[in-house]
Amino acid sequence: MRQELHIRPSLARARLFATAHGVYTAWINGQPVSDEVLAPGFDSYRHRLSVQGYDVLGMLRSGTNTLGFAVADGWWAGRIGLTGTSAQFGDRLALTWQLHLGFADGSTQVITSDSSAFSSTGPWNYSDLFIGESYDARRADESWMLPGFERPEWTPVRLLGVDASALVPFRGEPVRRVAQLPVASIDHRADGVLLDFGQVIAGRLRLKLRGQQRGQRITIEHTETLDAQGEWFQNIAGMNKEQTDHYICAGEAEEEWEPEFTFHGFRYVRVNGIGQLDPQDATAVVLSSDLELAGGFRTSDERLNRPHQNVVWSQRANFLSIPTDCPQRERAGWSGDIQVFAGAAANNAGVYTFLSRWLDNLRADQLPDGRIPILSPRSEHDAQSALESPGLGAIVAAAGWSDAVAILPWKLYESYGDPRVLEENYSAVRRWIEYQAAEAERGLPRGLEDLKLGPERLARQRLLYNSGPHFGDWLTPSTLEGDEPLHEAMDLAPKLTSELVAPMFQIHTLDLAARMAEVLGHSAHAAQYAQRAGEVRSAFLAEYLGEDATLPVAPQGMYALALGLDILPESKRVRAGEHLAALVRARGQRLDTGFLSTPFLLDALWDTGHQDLAREVLWQKQAPSWLYAVDHGATTIWEAWDAVDLSGRPRQVSMNHYAFGRVDDWLYRKVAGLTPMAPGWREARIEPDLSCGLDHAEAWIQTPFGRLAVNWKLEHGHLSVTTVVPFGLNAVLKLPGQQATLAPGTSVHHLDLFATAQ
């Protein structure tokens, strides 16, 4: 689309506001107005549509100017989600804009998107987030962005009107090109030129072409891994998951192209139609929401450094407009993924505004009955699919996923100390709690539906949100080890664990609601939720906890959750920890925790006296473990612990899911020793694990008060610890046999561990 504007002299201010149904790029007089890409981003479009604002004063001149836009399907009309179905929000692309001008004499002018604009098809045959982009450079003519352009094929736009009630100012950091990677290796093969960039990313390829014939078609395929023999392997399968771009050459001596309206999850690229390719002519462009780096971690062991680096790369790839599960197969805002990962996310990047924006969408998607959907943004297609699907596909709200509406705001409050995020989400939390209570009142677990329960037991069951379909402790490793087909095996953990998982998260959300209410000054609510949490906790313990602190379901995850979510009374914690430790040892010091419980496993062992076992699980090199993936070449966090088997053979799963990367939070807190003790890091404890098998570890976190850092080294029994504490943050250093209050600034501490041991 293009619109010619006449600007009178003495322009002093100019702001362009724009948004689209689709994704757009804007130019003024042939210059892009911004370095952001894929604007306006992904929103729950039925309820909200983000508007971008740009300072364009330096791009306008007196006289005639041209405002140009290109718009493509994006999340609005393109293929998205697990099904890859198109047009889930709408099937007609649209743009709206306003150019606000201010002049030196104080006068103002607003130029709007009206019938003076013209539109045409551009050089894109299509552009889709999933299947890729097809661009015909023979049709490229950038003069359309300049004043004086006239072509008969350009026709007046159709005016559709604007629903102003859905427009909201864009909140957060835009998606940008945040890094570029050179080719790590290149191989000219019979099936194409294979490029390895050495790192799994979300982004696209920038390609420089030389001496190509006009009309030559270049095909660019993307994948995250090769097979065991180093051959091309498409690890993402399914409808409309091609991740393939096409470029038709203009026939110029030199051409350079980067897709405009798509991105892919990849490490490897295969290029066909090009003959020879100089590695200097290919660059991987990394896309992400442009979040500020907020932390770092490093140790004397590269094998332990790699999981941290993998977490950072997975976070970068999946924090793209919204927090997604993966950057290739679904790219969906699963609420369970981000709630389990949030603790690690806040250590590594400034995520407060980014995640607050996603919470805006989650609240907008909350159903009238109080249900919080398992993913957001949620389309009408998602709603209809749930109505028509059997089994797990019918789930709309689920324990541990929907509870993100309480867990995520509280985590942001803990990390940044800003109560506004609690205020914004408090009403939604309350409605979700009331939905849980209503479901508890009218439903019973399947095993009890046909039994005649006594009045006491029935009263207890009516308090517990323990019925209906849930994902349970999703992907518990032992439930996937049988001979059943994968789709059947994946259903086992939900069937086995949901009855316990759901009420445990119900209790946790009630606990958080009581704390939120206290912070916000709603003392009556705080007392109400604390009382209800106590009643539900008592009912849960009476129904499911044995006298010897046993739980009726065997996997480790139930104990990890019961301990980590503070479900158990103090008198039962040590015994429950012993049961958990026995289960871990029975698995050969390997974890057997699922999606929801893995974040709590190491702390549950540590806090109940099994520190050495927690360390063994961290350092475990057999699957399932974090170091197994490292030893098998992982550069991001995998969706499945065994995404690559012992022989090097990959499975058709995502190589870029951050959820199991929550262990990164443990590395900061226990290995390096940086632990917040009050919201917003107002108080902190520095207590490194000197028995973790390392000689050195260092970490830093950008707190609201400034940079907090620790660097510890062990050499021949001598410990040196360097700390950096910002002004206003109260910190203590705990070392064997001593504790010190730290003054602001840098300080160095020495300790002879041999003397301490004596």
Side-chain angles (χ1 to χ4, degrees):
M1 298 187 192
R2 66 186 310 276
Q3 182 183 37
E4 290 210 348
L5 326 164
H6 184 78
I7 307 294
R8 56 189 174 88
S10 302
L11 183 66
R13 296 177 306 281
R15 298 288 187 275
L16 174 66
F17 299 95
T19 191
H21 284 163
V23 289
Y24 73 89
T25 301
W27 297 265
I28 290 180
N29 298 327
Q31 293 181 268
V33 303
S34 171
D35 60 356
E36 72 177 283
V37 297
L38 302 178
F42 196 7
D43 272 313
S44 182
Y45 300 117
R46 292 177 300 162
H47 309 291
R48 43 184 286 115
L49 179 61
S50 292
V51 177
Q52 285 69 48
Y54 310 100
D55 182 349
V56 295
L57 176 63
M59 305 177 71
L60 293 167
R61 60 198 180 210
S62 297
T64 304
N65 296 261
T66 298
L67 178 59
F69 290 91
V71 61
D73 292 355
W75 294 276
W76 169 264
R79 296 152 180 84
I80 59 174
L82 180 61
T83 63
T85 308
S86 64
Q88 294 188 25
F89 289 94
D91 59 7
R92 179 184 293 276
L93 303 184
L95 279 160
T96 186
W97 63 86
Q98 291 184 356
L99 182 61
H100 289 231
L101 306 176
F103 297 89
D105 62 3
S107 62
T108 61
Q109 181 183 6
V110 177
I111 299 173
T112 63
S113 48
D114 57 24
S115 58
S116 66
F118 285 73
S119 69
S120 179
T121 56
W124 292 272
N125 296 317
Y126 60 82
S127 191
D128 183 270
L129 294 176
F130 272 29
I131 65 172
E133 186 165 298
S134 175
Y135 186 90
D136 190 342
R138 296 170 300 181
R139 303 207 312 265
D141 178 6
E142 294 187 356
S143 63
W144 72 270
M145 304 179 191
L146 303 176
F149 174 88
E150 289 186 14
R151 293 287 190 279
E153 65 270 20
W154 284 72
T155 58
V157 296
R158 178 179 176 185
L159 298 182
L160 301 176
V162 176
D163 178 10
S165 66
L167 301 182
V168 295
F170 179 79
R171 184 182 190 186
E173 300 81 1
V175 177
R176 290 193 175 101
R177 302 169 179 87
V178 297
Q180 298 183 27
L181 300 181
V183 173
S185 69
I186 186 170
D187 188 4
H188 289 79
R189 301 180 173 187
D191 63 348
V193 182
L194 180 65
L195 305 174
D196 176 6
F197 290 95
Q199 174 65 55
V200 174
I201 67 166
R204 52 213 191 186
L205 182 72
R206 182 183 300 141
L207 197 59
K208 186 175 291 186
L209 303 168
R210 306 175 193 274
Q212 298 295 321
Q213 293 293 317
R214 181 175 177 84
Q216 176 67 33
R217 177 181 290 269
I218 310 297
T219 300
I220 306 167
E221 301 169 273
H222 306 76
T223 190
E224 292 180 322
T225 185
L226 302 179
D227 71 12
Q229 289 73 44
E231 298 299 324
W232 188 260
F233 177 79
Q234 201 67 49
N235 68 299
I236 298 300
M239 185 175 74
N240 295 326
K241 303 295 195 294
E242 286 86 347
Q243 295 204 117
T244 300
D245 298 325
H246 299 278
Y247 179 79
I248 302 173
C249 299
E252 298 175 1
E254 184 174 298
E255 303 175 48
E256 186 172 270
W257 181 66
E258 174 190 330
E260 185 76 27
F261 297 116
T262 190
F263 70 92
H264 310 295
F266 69 97
R267 169 178 170 172
Y268 299 93
V269 172
R270 184 168 62 181
V271 183
N272 271 291
I274 197 171
Q276 292 295 308
L277 177 64
D278 188 322
Q280 300 298 318
D281 291 341
T283 303
V285 180
V286 181
L287 298 187
S288 178
S289 289
D290 194 8
L291 308 183
E292 183 179 359
L293 184 68
F297 172 86
R298 187 167 182 81
T299 76
S300 54
D301 194 309
E302 284 301 322
R303 289 177 74 239
L304 200 60
N305 295 337
R306 190 67 237 190
H308 167 70
Q309 295 165 15
N310 291 355
V311 167
V312 171
W313 276 105
S314 280
Q315 180 171 343
R316 184 175 290 127
N318 283 291
F319 278 34
L320 198 159
S321 186
I322 64 166
T324 60
D325 59 331
C326 56
Q328 12 58 8
R329 188 185 63 220
E330 298 167 50
R331 315 177 192 199
W334 288 94
S335 52
D337 295 63
I338 188 55
Q339 75 86 355
V340 300
F341 183 66
N347 292 337
N348 290 318
V351 299
Y352 181 87
T353 309
F354 174 81
L355 293 179
S356 294
R357 175 179 178 268
W358 180 77
L359 284 166
D360 292 342
N361 280 288
L362 186 66
R363 292 194 310 276
D365 283 327
Q366 186 171 22
L367 277 66
D369 61 5
R371 280 179 293 174
I372 296 291
I374 55 178
L375 58 81
S376 178
R378 184 173 189 256
S379 68
E380 290 290 353
H381 171 83
D382 295 322
Q384 190 61 35
S385 179
L387 289 174
E388 297 171 355
S389 299
L392 298 177
I395 294 177
V396 174
W401 273 253
S402 302
D403 296 286
V405 74
I407 296 169
L408 189 53
W410 186 257
K411 182 58 202 174
L412 292 176
Y413 174 66
E414 285 186 322
S415 297
Y416 299 98
D418 187 349
R420 286 177 297 178
V421 71
L422 305 182
E423 184 68 52
E424 288 171 351
N425 292 280
Y426 182 62
S427 176
V429 172
R430 296 191 70 200
R431 292 172 58 208
W432 167 238
I433 286 173
E434 293 312 308
Y435 172 81
Q436 290 175 307
E439 285 296 293
E441 179 66 31
R442 61 173 163 255
L444 288 172
R446 186 173 300 174
L448 299 180
E449 287 176 335
D450 298 328
L451 299 181
K452 184 172 177 59
L453 304 181
E456 263 189 43
R457 190 171 188 201
L458 184 60
R460 289 197 299 265
Q461 284 289 333
R462 295 302 188 198
L463 289 171
L464 298 174
Y465 177 51
N466 60 357
S467 61
H470 298 276
F471 296 114
D473 201 15
W474 183 245
L475 298 182
T476 298
S478 60
T479 64
L480 303 174
E481 294 172 352
D483 296 327
E484 298 90 350
L486 182 60
H487 69 279
E488 294 181 13
M490 292 173 71
D491 198 32
L492 184 56
K495 290 178 179 176
L496 184 66
T497 63
S498 289
E499 187 177 338
L500 272 69
V501 165
M504 283 197 279
F505 274 93
Q506 177 193 11
I507 295 165
H508 185 47
T509 291
L510 285 166
D511 286 338
L512 293 179
R515 295 177 207 167
M516 289 181 182
E518 193 67 39
V519 171
L520 296 174
H522 306 311
S523 55
H525 289 175
Q528 171 194 347
Y529 288 131
Q531 179 180 347
R532 193 186 300 186
E535 293 169 351
V536 178
R537 183 178 277 104
S538 296
F540 177 87
L541 296 174
E543 287 294 304
Y544 298 114
L545 189 69
E547 283 296 322
D548 58 350
T550 54
L551 292 166
V553 178
Q556 302 166 14
M558 298 306 93
Y559 290 95
L561 284 173
L563 290 162
L565 297 179
D566 199 23
I567 306 298
L568 305 180
E570 194 63 37
S571 61
K572 301 289 187 181
R573 290 182 62 83
V574 172
R575 190 75 182 96
E578 291 172 355
H579 295 316
L580 174 59
L583 290 169
V584 173
R585 292 191 183 99
R587 294 275 295 178
Q589 291 74 46
R590 294 181 302 154
L591 60 83
D592 187 30
T593 45
F595 201 81
L596 297 177
S597 63
T598 296
F600 299 100
L601 175 63
L602 297 182
D603 281 305
L605 291 170
W606 188 278
D607 294 341
T608 55
H610 304 281
Q611 290 90 347
D612 285 341
L613 185 56
R615 296 182 185 111
E616 288 183 71
V617 174
L618 176 65
W619 287 101
Q620 175 63 251
K621 62 182 181 181
Q622 296 181 7
S625 72
W626 293 279
L627 292 187
Y628 174 87
V630 169
D631 292 342
H632 287 76
T635 64
T636 42
I637 299 298
W638 292 344
E639 175 185 19
W641 299 104
D642 59 349
V644 176
D645 69 16
L646 290 170
S647 69
R649 181 177 58 189
R651 294 171 51 196
Q652 283 190 317
V653 296
S654 166
M655 300 292 178
N656 202 347
H657 264 63
Y658 55 57
F660 288 135
R662 173 65 181 272
V663 70
D664 198 52
D665 183 49
W666 169 272
L667 300 180
Y668 276 95
R669 288 187 295 107
K670 294 299 186 185
V671 175
L674 296 180
T675 304
M677 302 303 292
W681 289 88
R682 184 169 293 279
E683 298 176 12
R685 183 181 70 229
I686 302 177
E687 185 179 8
D689 179 14
L690 306 177
S691 300
C692 63
L694 298 170
D695 300 323
H696 165 237
E698 58 183 297
W700 64 273
I701 288 178
Q702 188 67 26
T703 76
F705 297 93
R707 185 185 180 100
L708 175 69
V710 62
N711 186 328
W712 63 264
K713 295 181 180 180
L714 267 175
E715 190 172 8
H716 307 301
H718 178 79
L719 172 69
S720 65
V721 182
T722 302
T723 59
V724 179
V725 177
F727 184 81
L729 188 154
N730 300 317
V732 297
L733 174 65
K734 295 189 70 174
L735 299 174
Q738 63 178 253
Q739 177 172 314
T741 299
L742 298 174
T746 300
S747 57
V748 182
H749 312 263
H750 299 279
L751 183 64
D752 186 339
L753 295 181
F754 289 148
T756 303
Q758 294 171 0

